[in-house]
Coordinates of all heavy atoms in Angstrom, one line a residue:
A345 N 7.2 -15.9 -3.7 CA 8.0 -14.9 -4.4 C 7.3 -13.7 -4.8 O 7.7 -12.5 -4.6 CB 8.7 -15.6 -5.6
P346 N 6.1 -13.8 -5.5 CA 5.4 -12.6 -5.9 C 5.0 -11.7 -4.7 O 5.1 -10.5 -4.7 CB 4.1 -13.1 -6.6 CG 4.5 -14.4 -7.1 CD 5.5 -15.0 -6.0
L347 N 4.5 -12.3 -3.6 CA 4.1 -11.5 -2.4 C 5.3 -10.8 -1.8 O 5.2 -9.7 -1.3 CB 3.4 -12.4 -1.4 CG 2.0 -12.9 -1.8 CD1 1.4 -13.7 -0.6 CD2 1.1 -11.7 -2.1
L348 N 6.4 -11.5 -1.6 CA 7.6 -10.9 -1.1 C 8.1 -9.7 -2.0 O 8.6 -8.7 -1.5 CB 8.7 -11.9 -0.9 CG 8.4 -12.9 0.2 CD1 9.6 -13.9 0.4 CD2 8.2 -12.3 1.6
M349 N 8.0 -9.9 -3.3 CA 8.3 -8.9 -4.2 C 7.4 -7.6 -4.0 O 7.9 -6.5 -4.0 CB 8.2 -9.4 -5.7 CG 8.5 -8.4 -6.8 SD 7.0 -7.6 -7.4 CE 6.2 -8.9 -8.1
L350 N 6.1 -7.9 -3.9 CA 5.2 -6.8 -3.7 C 5.5 -6.1 -2.3 O 5.4 -4.9 -2.2 CB 3.8 -7.3 -3.7 CG 3.3 -7.7 -5.1 CD1 1.9 -8.3 -5.0 CD2 3.3 -6.5 -6.1
L351 N 5.8 -6.9 -1.3 CA 6.2 -6.3 0.0 C 7.4 -5.4 -0.1 O 7.4 -4.3 0.4 CB 6.4 -7.4 1.0 CG 6.7 -6.9 2.5 CD1 5.6 -6.1 3.0 CD2 7.0 -8.1 3.4
G352 N 8.4 -5.8 -0.9 CA 9.6 -5.0 -1.1 C 9.2 -3.7 -1.8 O 9.7 -2.6 -1.5
A353 N 8.4 -3.9 -2.9 CA 8.0 -2.7 -3.7 C 7.2 -1.7 -2.8 O 7.5 -0.5 -2.9 CB 7.2 -3.1 -4.9
V354 N 6.3 -2.2 -2.0 CA 5.5 -1.2 -1.3 C 6.3 -0.6 -0.1 O 6.1 0.6 0.2 CB 4.2 -1.9 -0.7 CG1 4.5 -2.7 0.5 CG2 3.1 -0.9 -0.4
T355 N 7.3 -1.3 0.4 CA 8.2 -0.7 1.3 C 9.0 0.5 0.7 O 9.2 1.5 1.3 CB 9.2 -1.7 1.9 OG1 8.4 -2.8 2.5 CG2 10.1 -1.1 2.9
L356 N 9.4 0.3 -0.6 CA 10.1 1.3 -1.3 C 9.2 2.5 -1.5 O 9.6 3.7 -1.4 CB 10.6 0.8 -2.6 CG 11.7 -0.3 -2.6 CD1 12.1 -0.7 -4.0 CD2 13.0 0.3 -1.8
V357 N 7.9 2.3 -1.8 CA 7.0 3.4 -2.0 C 6.8 4.1 -0.7 O 6.7 5.4 -0.7 CB 5.6 2.8 -2.5 CG1 4.6 3.9 -2.4 CG2 5.8 2.3 -3.9
L358 N 6.8 3.4 0.5 CA 6.7 4.1 1.8 C 7.9 5.0 2.0 O 7.8 6.1 2.5 CB 6.5 3.0 2.9 CG 6.4 3.6 4.3 CD1 5.2 4.4 4.5 CD2 6.4 2.5 5.3
L359 N 9.1 4.4 1.7 CA 10.3 5.3 1.8 C 10.2 6.5 1.0 O 10.6 7.6 1.4 CB 11.5 4.4 1.5 CG 11.8 3.3 2.5 CD1 13.0 2.5 2.0 CD2 12.1 3.8 3.9
I360 N 9.7 6.4 -0.3 CA 9.6 7.5 -1.1 C 8.6 8.5 -0.5 O 8.9 9.7 -0.6 CB 9.1 7.1 -2.6 CG1 10.2 6.3 -3.3 CG2 8.8 8.3 -3.4 CD1 9.8 5.8 -4.6
A361 N 7.5 8.0 0.0 CA 6.5 8.9 0.6 C 7.1 9.7 1.8 O 6.9 10.9 1.9 CB 5.3 8.1 1.0
C362 N 7.9 8.9 2.6 CA 8.5 9.6 3.8 C 9.5 10.6 3.3 O 9.6 11.7 3.9 CB 9.2 8.5 4.6 SG 8.0 7.5 5.5
A363 N 10.3 10.3 2.3 CA 11.3 11.2 1.7 C 10.6 12.4 1.2 O 11.0 13.6 1.3 CB 12.1 10.6 0.7
N364 N 9.4 12.2 0.5 CA 8.7 13.4 -0.1 C 8.2 14.3 1.0 O 8.2 15.5 0.9 CB 7.6 12.8 -1.0 CG 7.3 13.7 -2.2 OD1 8.2 14.3 -2.7 ND2 6.1 13.8 -2.6

Side-chain angles (χ1 to χ4, degrees):
L347 287 181
L348 292 180
M349 179 266 295
L350 290 175
L351 181 62
V354 79
T355 302
L356 294 179
V357 171
L358 179 63
L359 291 176
I360 292 178
C362 291
N364 214 35

